[in-house]
Amino acid sequence: MSNSSKNLVRCPWVSADQIYIDYHDNEWGKELRGQRNLFEKMTLEGFQAGLSWLTILKRREGFREAFDNFELEKVAAFDESKIEELMSDSRIIRNRAKISAAVNNARLILDNSLDLTEILWSFAPSPSSSGRSQESITTSPESDALSKELKRLGIKFVGSTTMYALMQSTGMVKDHSVNCFLSN
């Protein structure tokens, strides 16, 4: 990390861990679209539930390998023996419910021809309502509505808090803190 990068003011949740710094500076809050990209992000956000995001970031490459780069067709084809294999894969979070949810979600998305970009971004708040960035805010009316719709479609591990984190990370909500060098 360069001295100029080292002295930048970032959002308060960013630790000194370089993985976190790189994620914040290069990914978090930047617009993300596309079926595979959003399926990966939604799946990883689901795995993060109850854990720190840093735990997921440190295992992200392992997740990508284990879940065939989050290619929907490949994940949808996972059978019980593949789920068992993943349950013994130390590169990922070994939670059967979350693994099964990822497979279920891939199947539902394909079987129903769901367009994740269209669905997820249709719940993005207007830009004027973004940027709240208070540490205590973990949901919004939009994340509540998105969660409700995804659950109605049969998608799992998409609670409102998880969906708010997804909205922040994919740029649907601009939540960099006011002092952060990336706030606009």
Side-chain angles (χ1 to χ4, degrees):
M1 176 174 17
S2 70
N3 281 337
S4 61
S5 169
K6 191 175 178 180
N7 296 326
L8 293 173
V9 175
R10 293 179 173 81
C11 295
W13 55 264
V14 180
S15 71
D17 193 302
Q18 191 61 47
I19 293 171
Y20 234 6
I21 292 168
D22 292 342
Y23 175 72
H24 172 269
D25 292 0
N26 302 310
E27 291 182 60
W28 193 78
K30 294 200 177 8
E31 188 173 308
L32 183 70
R33 294 178 183 260
Q35 198 78 333
R36 195 213 64 77
N37 291 335
L38 290 171
F39 176 65
E40 175 182 349
K41 186 66 82 164
M42 185 173 71
T43 301
L44 292 177
E45 291 287 359
F47 271 95
Q48 184 271 331
L51 304 168
S52 78
W53 185 243
L54 186 57
T55 298
I56 300 302
L57 285 177
K58 288 181 175 182
R59 295 175 183 223
R60 184 162 54 171
E61 288 310 313
F63 271 107
R64 286 175 174 160
E65 290 171 22
F67 282 87
D68 291 323
N69 202 34
F70 294 96
E71 296 295 334
L72 281 160
E73 295 79 8
K74 292 180 180 179
V75 177
F78 287 4
D79 58 12
E80 193 56 41
S81 66
K82 178 65 174 181
I83 292 172
E84 284 303 318
E85 179 186 318
L86 292 172
M87 284 298 295
S88 62
D89 190 334
S90 63
R91 299 172 301 168
I92 67 168
I93 305 303
R94 294 172 285 185
N95 178 303
R96 183 176 304 279
K98 292 177 181 181
I99 293 168
S100 295
V103 175
N104 168 77
N105 294 348
R107 289 176 183 161
L108 279 168
I109 291 164
L110 290 175
D111 291 350
N112 296 294
S113 301
L114 302 178
D115 181 331
L116 287 178
T117 298
E118 182 180 313
I119 293 168
L120 298 177
W121 278 87
S122 73
F123 288 90
S126 67
S128 63
S129 64
S130 293
R132 300 176 308 169
S133 74
Q134 294 100 353
E135 291 290 318
S136 62
I137 294 178
T138 59
T139 64
S140 68
E142 296 85 4
S143 68
D144 293 344
L146 174 57
S147 173
K148 184 177 179 180
E149 175 62 11
L150 291 173
K151 288 176 181 178
R152 186 191 69 74
L153 294 168
I155 306 291
K156 299 180 188 295
F157 280 93
V158 289
S160 185
T161 299
T162 299
M163 290 303 91
Y164 190 74
L166 176 83
M167 294 172 113
Q168 289 175 307
S169 69
T170 59
M172 291 180 217
V173 174
K174 307 293 186 206
D175 266 358
H176 283 284
S177 65
V178 175
N179 297 328
C180 178
F181 81 98
L182 290 170
S183 116
N184 6 15

